[in-house]
Amino acid sequence: MALRLLSLAVMSGRIGYAVFDGETLKDWAISRKAARSEDALRSVIGKWLDDIGPHAVVTEELTPQSRKRGRTLILLKALRRFLAERRILQVRIKRERPYRTKYIEAERLITRFPALAPWKPERKNFYDNEPNSVAIFEAVALALQVLRDPTRYLAGALG
């Protein structure tokens, strides 16, 4: 039986998810609704958990170097409480950033998963807002980080 991972990327104004069965990317999406409030988060994530039935959920571990601020921090903490209430195994990882930019990383991920090509994020100017689709690529990258060494990360999550 393959490990089913639900990877969640909580970002400003949106939450992205990616679902993996083993090494196979099965599904991905973005929800702006889930990022509106703690109640909306619980509603949307609860439906995802019911529909997907993951063995574990991957989220980013907050560190002093994390750039997450304000409402994103509140939502990430609410998500962790909700997962604990639902007794879902949480794998919290420090996000590796092997590429210079998120956009280069997205190109590499599209090479591995061509179905993601329609969601390729592009930012023409440095002052433009970050595209919403970045959340999908963040979720995929988090899941792949765990899938490179699942025993280590899952054992760490179990304590």
Side-chain angles (χ1 to χ4, degrees):
M1 178 174 79
L3 173 67
R4 183 174 305 122
L5 282 180
L6 170 62
S7 179
L8 298 171
V10 179
M11 303 181 77
S12 180
R14 64 219 184 264
I15 296 176
Y17 83 75
V19 178
F20 279 81
D21 269 334
E23 296 279 330
T24 305
L25 178 61
K26 292 291 194 176
D27 194 20
W28 58 89
I30 306 164
S31 174
R32 294 184 64 75
K33 178 183 177 183
R36 287 187 190 146
S37 68
E38 288 185 40
D39 288 339
L41 178 139
R42 294 171 75 83
S43 173
V44 172
I45 303 295
K47 181 169 180 0
W48 290 349
L49 292 171
D50 293 342
D51 291 348
I52 296 163
H55 298 118
V57 174
V58 181
T59 61
E60 184 176 354
E61 179 65 89
L62 295 175
T63 66
Q65 293 78 29
S66 295
R67 296 184 198 156
K68 300 203 182 293
R69 301 285 180 264
R71 180 166 207 64
T72 304
L73 289 176
I74 292 167
L75 290 174
L76 193 52
K77 290 175 184 173
L79 172 61
R80 290 181 176 164
R81 283 191 308 272
F82 181 58
L83 293 173
E85 289 169 13
R86 296 274 305 250
R87 297 188 189 287
I88 303 289
L89 180 63
Q90 298 179 55
V91 181
R92 300 178 193 174
I93 62 171
K94 182 180 177 196
R95 171 82 158 88
E96 294 174 357
R97 304 233 179 244
Y99 300 97
R100 203 183 73 204
T101 70
K102 294 175 183 183
Y103 305 100
I104 294 170
E105 182 173 47
E107 288 175 9
R108 299 296 189 276
L109 292 171
I110 289 169
T111 300
R112 184 164 176 188
F113 304 106
L116 292 174
W119 288 271
K120 180 181 176 186
E122 293 187 27
R123 191 159 87 175
K124 296 185 188 328
N125 300 299
F126 72 91
Y127 51 81
D128 290 339
N129 288 332
E130 187 174 77
N132 288 332
S133 63
V134 167
I136 292 170
F137 291 89
E138 288 280 320
V140 170
L142 283 168
L144 289 177
Q145 192 173 325
V146 170
L147 290 171
R148 279 194 297 273
D149 192 0
T151 304
R152 174 182 149 211
Y153 287 110
L154 293 172
L158 289 168

